[in-house]
Amino acid sequence: MKSLHQVKSLVRPDRLAPGARVAVVAPSGPVPEDRLAAGLDILRGWDLEPVVAPHVLDVHEEFTYLAGRDADRAADLQRAWCDPGIDAVLCARGGYGAQRMVDLLDWAAMRATRPKVFVGYSDITALHEAFAVRLGVSTLHGPMVAAADFLKSERAQDHLRATLFAPESVQVIHGVEGVGALVPGVARGVTVGGCLSLLAADLGTAHARVSARGGLVCLEDVGEEAYRIDRYLTQLLRGGWLEGVSGILLGSWAECEPVRELLVERLGGLGVPVVEEFGFGHGAGALTLPLGVAGRLDAGASTLSLDVPALG
């Protein structure tokens, strides 16, 4: 039996103001200290007060691809989210590890606190999905504090800053100039998605979203061969996750094999608008996209017009 669930608008956290205290956490991979320092300087330049979680610079003693122990990474995130003096939680970087700690969080305690801004991408997709399903809170698919693309790109910095402080100024988001639609058309829906491989890995796990029906699905990935992207898309198609979606926004495919024809073949049959390159994800100058906010996608014009600003 196919799912009747539909993606719905989520609660939007409040925007930030000068002087806001923002926690920096590392839910996934190890964080280079020099990049963290550079990112913190950028935040301070925005008149934010960064609060670095205790285990951000940890490295797991055995599995060195993890930023410390699962329990410590989970504790940092939960403590930051539940701290009434923290206005936003920003991820330092992606990598791998969020899936290992997501079920260690006390979701009841996190639901009991006020919603706040949560930013990240890549492996953080697992947390975006959990925040949507378990907390009903909108999040930001955007640049991370210690990510090289963020540190080197004024465009990425400017768009994230505008989203955090003056979200009405970026309520209409423009994709990559000169890049059109894989499938033309206009669609309405609620934004959902993130890193393709993480969405496929989440399918079938406890508390996972069972359907993106009614959603404007955002998909991107990094460093994947074409057959693996084919496999992830096919898994989402076979699992019914993409059935009934309203439209699709494709982001960057950095360091991936050419996949345009594959994307046409796998997604064209859905019969919904598909914009080819919308400028979010792992690419240089990545845009910040709110997840869980209703809007209108014009694939031909490569625009996403949000019904309300990303933050309240």
Side-chain angles (χ1 to χ4, degrees), residues 26-30 65-68 73 93-99 101 123-124 127:
S28 302
Y65 50 82
L66 297 172
R73 300 196 315 280
R93 62 154 298 194
Y96 172 75
Q99 281 191 316
M101 50 77 78
D123 190 58
I124 308 304
L127 292 169

Side-chain angles (χ1 to χ4, degrees), residues 99-297:
Q99 281 191 316
R100 289 177 56 118
M101 50 77 78
V102 67
D103 294 321
L104 300 180
L105 296 165
D106 184 341
W107 291 99
M110 294 173 68
R111 279 192 296 273
T113 193
R114 67 179 173 92
K116 56 191 66 173
V117 176
F118 180 73
V119 187
Y121 72 102
S122 192
D123 190 58
I124 308 304
T125 295
L127 292 169
H128 285 308
E129 283 291 280
F131 275 54
V133 174
R134 301 197 196 193
L135 299 183
V137 173
S138 173
T139 56
L140 298 179
H141 185 284
M144 294 180 284
V145 177
D149 291 343
F150 173 65
L151 300 177
K152 296 176 181 178
S153 173
E154 288 188 12
R155 181 173 185 257
Q157 294 170 23
D158 290 347
H159 198 260
L160 175 59
R161 183 178 185 179
T163 304
L164 294 176
F165 290 98
E168 65 281 343
S169 69
V170 285
Q171 195 166 334
V172 178
I173 305 174
H174 299 269
V176 176
E177 186 175 353
V179 177
L182 283 183
V183 181
V186 175
R188 289 194 55 80
V190 176
T191 53
V192 60
C195 188
L196 173 61
S197 56
L198 270 295
L199 293 169
D202 206 40
L203 195 65
T205 61
H207 306 287
R209 190 193 306 270
V210 296
S211 171
R213 177 179 294 275
L216 295 175
V217 177
C218 309
L219 299 174
E220 60 88 32
D221 218 313
V222 63
E224 295 285 5
E225 297 178 66
Y227 83 91
R228 295 173 66 90
I229 294 175
D230 187 330
R231 183 168 68 199
Y232 303 143
L233 290 171
T234 301
Q235 176 74 358
L236 294 181
L237 288 165
R238 293 184 67 217
W241 199 84
L242 290 171
E243 184 173 334
V245 302
S246 296
I248 296 177
L249 298 84
L250 299 174
S252 62
W253 303 97
E255 304 172 29
C256 293
E257 292 183 351
V259 292
R260 188 179 191 277
E261 295 307 316
L262 171 62
L263 295 169
V264 171
E265 192 271 340
R266 289 282 75 191
L267 299 175
L270 295 172
V272 301
V274 182
V275 64
E276 181 171 358
E277 168 58 271
F278 205 74
F280 65 92
H282 289 79
L287 300 173
T288 299
L289 288 185
L291 300 175
V293 177
R296 178 181 183 271
L297 170 66

Side-chain angles (χ1 to χ4, degrees), residues 33-89:
E33 188 170 3
D34 58 337
R35 291 185 184 178
L36 176 64
L40 296 176
D41 285 343
I42 292 172
L43 298 182
R44 294 187 185 103
W46 295 354
D47 200 15
L48 295 172
E49 181 185 342
V51 179
V52 179
H55 299 284
V56 164
L57 292 176
D58 284 5
V59 178
H60 196 283
E61 60 275 10
E62 183 176 2
F63 307 120
T64 55
Y65 50 82
L66 297 172
R69 299 186 305 158
D70 298 344
D72 290 336
R73 300 196 315 280
D76 276 0
L77 174 55
Q78 183 172 318
R79 187 181 300 111
W81 186 262
C82 294
D83 185 342
I86 295 294
D87 301 299
V89 179

